[in-house]
Amino acid sequence: MVDVLPLVEARLRSALGEPDARAAVTFLGTDRIEVLRFQEGDIVRYATLGMSAQPMSDPTAVLADPVKGPRAELVLSVRGGLADTDKALRPLAVLAASPQVEGVIVAPGASLDVGEPLWPGAPFSSVLVAEPGGLVEDLDLDEPLDPVRFLPLLPMTPNEAAWKRVHGAQALQERWLTNGTDLRDPSRRSVPLD
């Protein structure tokens, strides 16, 4: 078995530069999840490292395939200095561990909820998983392994999350775009939803 994590970290470094901080979280019965912090100007990016060590498996499967299945890491981008976003490390690690803990497949269009603010005072407790390929390109692995996809996370207010459940991810993203919503603003208000 190939250890994919060094390759994943190398891809993150080539796309985002050198991390200026990293933290590790281990949950009972799961592999260690690290969160790396990258700064570029006023933008701070947090990327998970460890979620892609195992493929995500269908929760209805009797046995998890140790080789085949989607692999991913999560990337959150926010404007620095406006909130204590470094406290998002643990919630991000929780989200990255969810495929191992809950047997879910994290894919674009999904909502992930941590049940508490993403950081102190944050108006968000959930995120929308966006399409990969923009900021960090997929990492192709040798057959038969699936590529590692780097999934951007877009913080959602509780009202946005509820609206998304009814109208869908595409409709919410169009609403954000139409209103010129700054999705990197760590203290932004909900987009108008009426």
Side-chain angles (χ1 to χ4, degrees):
M1 285 298 293
V2 63
D3 183 2
V4 303
L5 296 185
L7 302 173
V8 170
E9 185 168 353
R11 174 58 54 94
L12 286 168
R13 286 173 185 266
S14 69
L16 305 176
E18 286 299 310
D20 67 350
R22 64 193 309 146
V25 180
T26 305
F27 302 102
L28 189 62
T30 67
D31 294 331
R32 171 180 150 128
I33 304 286
E34 287 190 84
V35 180
L36 283 60
R37 183 180 72 189
F38 301 87
Q39 290 209 247
E40 180 184 335
D42 69 334
I43 302 298
V44 181
R45 301 188 201 288
Y46 302 95
T48 63
L49 180 62
M51 182 177 171
S52 62
Q54 305 292 327
M56 293 181 273
S57 58
D58 183 343
T60 61
V62 177
L63 288 174
D65 189 323
V67 177
K68 292 203 60 68
R71 294 174 188 261
E73 296 290 352
L74 308 175
V75 181
L76 173 69
S77 300
V78 293
R79 292 200 185 287
L82 302 176
D84 191 6
T85 56
D86 281 352
K87 296 284 195 302
L89 299 178
R90 186 167 178 76
L92 283 174
V94 167
L95 295 177
S98 62
Q100 289 182 59
V101 174
E102 300 171 28
V104 296
I105 294 180
V106 177
S111 299
L112 302 175
D113 195 318
V114 293
E116 62 185 33
L118 289 173
W119 52 83
F124 322 104
S125 62
S126 63
V127 293
L128 174 66
V129 181
E131 290 291 332
L135 188 60
V136 184
E137 288 184 31
D138 292 354
L139 172 63
D140 290 325
L141 301 172
D142 293 336
E143 291 290 336
L145 303 179
D146 287 24
V148 176
R149 301 172 84 197
F150 298 88
L151 303 172
L153 300 180
L154 308 175
M156 293 188 292
T157 67
N159 286 346
E160 290 169 340
W163 197 85
K164 181 251 174 198
R165 281 192 291 278
V166 174
H167 299 281
Q170 185 66 36
L172 179 59
Q173 288 179 304
E174 287 171 11
R175 183 64 57 113
W176 282 336
L177 195 58
T178 301
N179 286 276
T181 305
D182 181 2
L183 296 173
R184 295 176 179 165
D185 180 350
S187 55
R188 72 172 179 83
R189 297 191 184 285
S190 183
V191 70
L193 297 170
D194 42 323

